Amino acid sequence: ESDTASEISFQLQRHKKTPSIGSHSSDMASVSSVSGSVLSVYSGDFGSVDAQGTVEFALDYDEKNREFQVHVSQCKDLAVVDEKKGRSDPYVKTYLLPDKARMGKRKTSVKKRTVNPIYNEVLRYKIEKMVLLIQKLNLSVWHNDPLGRNSFLGEIEIDLASWDWSNRKLNWYPLKPRSLSAVNGADHRGVMSLSIKYVPPGSLGKWPKNPPSGEVHIWVKDVKDLLQLRPSGVDSFVKCYVLPDTSKKSYQKTRVIKRDTNPVFNHTIVYDGFHTEDLKDACVELTVWDHEKLTNHFLGGIRLGLGTGLSYGISVDWMDSTQEEVAFWQEMMLAANEWIEGLLPLRSL
């Protein structure tokens, strides 16, 4: 069979604790359908200038519309990014933490050639007050670069649990350098306990060939210390894809465990149709989600692969496994038919 991603077919089956017999086939999607990733808050080039200056803003919660509002007024005395031209093109960006992916970012317009920009803009989040009170507001100022290499100019972080909501006035706040935890990516989202195993074609019996194609077994055991997005806890489940296939046929998921930040899933997924050489180019993506009626919220994930940045010769952003994730995958590749146990930190993908 050809090694191209569009021609490799994966079959998959699901079971809990004991394997089921049935399976169904799926054609692997072409690499052009690879999943996009959620950019971190701190993307871009942020080492070039020191944070300085101040930002003026006010916070309010509109009870009627259940809306959190950040009134961004202006900034003063920002750092100059382009020394030759003496210019900065600043904008303000906000996130609600700890889960920046859930509520998303908001940002103002860009003001060109000024270190004293005036915005007078309102950034809005539709969010329940109870949920808002377990968040932090991260407000940062950036220089907009046309090539996308945006420069960090300073930030402020506010714990909304201790905020005085009777204060709706505009106030000035000094911009601070990036916090050490942000630079180091100390973005704790919990830890997943799992085991994986690779069963090469024919390794369980030569005649008839058993299994007819290679299999990857993924045993999701439990997750500890998940983010709690609301006071009642978290209703979590795990999704699995084998990238580059993002089709519904590749998609598997566990049941939902309710009101538990330390859910035990004990769920096994088997993907077959794997040739040994596919292990270099495929990536198992496991993501944990908080289940709500209208929409599910991303809590964290891991990607198991070689982390080379390439899949079947094509550059992809999801082939970005950490050193721990790569080591775990390599150990599985080297120890056929053996369960490899791991404890891996969830991260933003």
Side-chain angles (χ1 to χ4, degrees), residues 117-132:
I118 296 172
Y119 299 102
N120 290 326
E121 294 178 39
V122 181
L123 307 178
R124 304 169 189 274
Y125 290 86
K126 286 280 186 189
I127 184 170
E128 296 289 342
K129 185 80 173 275
M130 283 171 73
V131 178
L132 184 65

Side-chain angles (χ1 to χ4, degrees), residues 74-104:
Q74 59 183 318
C75 300
K76 272 196 178 153
D77 304 321
L78 295 175
V80 174
V81 174
D82 190 333
E83 292 288 350
K84 286 181 186 172
K85 297 178 182 173
R87 70 180 280 182
S88 293
D89 298 342
Y91 67 96
V92 175
K93 179 164 68 172
T94 60
Y95 279 97
L96 290 178
L97 303 175
D99 190 9
K100 54 186 177 276
R102 179 189 186 204
M103 296 303 299

Side-chain angles (χ1 to χ4, degrees), residues 184-319:
N184 294 338
D187 176 20
H188 184 71
R189 292 171 167 270
V191 180
M192 180 180 288
S193 170
L194 75 161
S195 291
I196 55 174
K197 174 170 68 172
Y198 178 59
V199 181
S203 62
L204 303 180
K206 297 295 182 189
W207 187 264
K209 195 175 179 185
N210 179 29
S213 65
E215 296 177 349
V216 171
H217 296 234
I218 304 145
W219 178 8
V220 179
K221 296 177 182 177
D222 59 60
V223 181
K224 294 274 194 305
D225 208 16
L226 281 174
L227 290 175
Q228 185 166 329
L229 296 183
R230 53 184 180 275
S232 62
V234 61
D235 299 344
S236 63
F237 68 98
V238 178
K239 286 185 192 178
C240 184
Y241 283 98
V242 176
L243 303 174
D245 188 1
T246 57
S247 71
K248 283 185 178 176
K249 295 168 186 174
S250 164
Y251 170 61
Q252 297 288 295
K253 67 175 181 177
T254 69
R255 68 191 187 286
V256 175
I257 305 291
K258 294 198 169 180
R259 292 183 292 281
D260 196 343
T261 53
N262 299 296
V264 176
F265 295 103
N266 217 14
H267 183 102
T268 308
I269 301 163
V270 175
Y271 288 91
D272 57 4
F274 263 98
H275 298 278
T276 305
E277 58 270 22
D278 295 329
L279 298 175
K280 304 192 310 290
D281 295 291
C283 170
V284 171
E285 181 183 80
L286 293 159
T287 52
V288 187
W289 297 78
D290 177 39
H291 176 70
E292 284 196 78
K293 279 182 184 173
L294 296 177
T295 182
N296 297 319
H297 300 301
F298 175 75
L299 297 174
I302 58 175
R303 287 193 179 128
L304 305 175
L306 291 184
T308 57
L310 296 172
S311 174
Y312 300 99
I314 294 171
S315 179
V316 291
D317 58 0
W318 46 260
M319 199 57 121

Side-chain angles (χ1 to χ4, degrees), residues 20-196:
S20 64
I21 295 165
S23 67
H24 62 275
S25 66
S26 71
D27 291 325
M28 194 145 189
S30 65
V31 187
S32 60
S33 68
V34 299
S35 62
S37 48
V38 180
L39 290 172
S40 69
V41 179
Y42 302 107
S43 56
D45 158 31
F46 42 71
S48 53
V49 293
D50 292 328
Q52 67 173 62
T54 54
V55 57
E56 186 186 41
F57 64 90
L59 304 183
D60 193 11
Y61 187 78
D62 180 343
E63 300 278 359
K64 185 183 174 188
N65 294 310
R66 295 178 178 176
E67 188 177 75
F68 174 48
Q69 300 171 347
V70 184
H71 300 251
V72 181
S73 172
Q74 59 183 318
C75 300
K76 272 196 178 153
D77 304 321
L78 295 175
V80 174
V81 174
D82 190 333
E83 292 288 350
K84 286 181 186 172
K85 297 178 182 173
R87 70 180 280 182
S88 293
D89 298 342
Y91 67 96
V92 175
K93 179 164 68 172
T94 60
Y95 279 97
L96 290 178
L97 303 175
D99 190 9
K100 54 186 177 276
R102 179 189 186 204
M103 296 303 299
K105 70 183 171 189
R106 306 285 186 272
K107 56 185 183 179
T108 66
S109 55
V110 175
K111 302 299 176 186
K112 298 207 167 176
R113 298 182 185 81
T114 178
V115 292
N116 299 299
I118 296 172
Y119 299 102
N120 290 326
E121 294 178 39
V122 181
L123 307 178
R124 304 169 189 274
Y125 290 86
K126 286 280 186 189
I127 184 170
E128 296 289 342
K129 185 80 173 275
M130 283 171 73
V131 178
L132 184 65
L133 294 181
I134 55 173
Q135 314 279 319
K136 287 181 181 173
L137 172 70
N138 178 279
L139 182 148
S140 53
V141 185
W142 295 76
H143 160 72
N144 182 66
D145 180 273
L147 299 176
R149 294 190 294 269
N150 298 339
S151 297
F152 174 80
L153 300 179
E155 72 175 5
I156 179 168
E157 209 159 275
I158 289 173
D159 188 341
L160 297 174
S162 54
W163 181 255
D164 175 10
W165 292 97
S166 66
N167 171 22
R168 296 188 180 90
K169 293 178 183 170
L170 289 166
N171 287 298
W172 287 98
Y173 301 88
L175 289 166
K176 297 176 181 177
R178 166 152 314 97
S179 63
L180 206 58
S181 64
V183 175
N184 294 338
D187 176 20
H188 184 71
R189 292 171 167 270
V191 180
M192 180 180 288
S193 170
L194 75 161
S195 291
I196 55 174

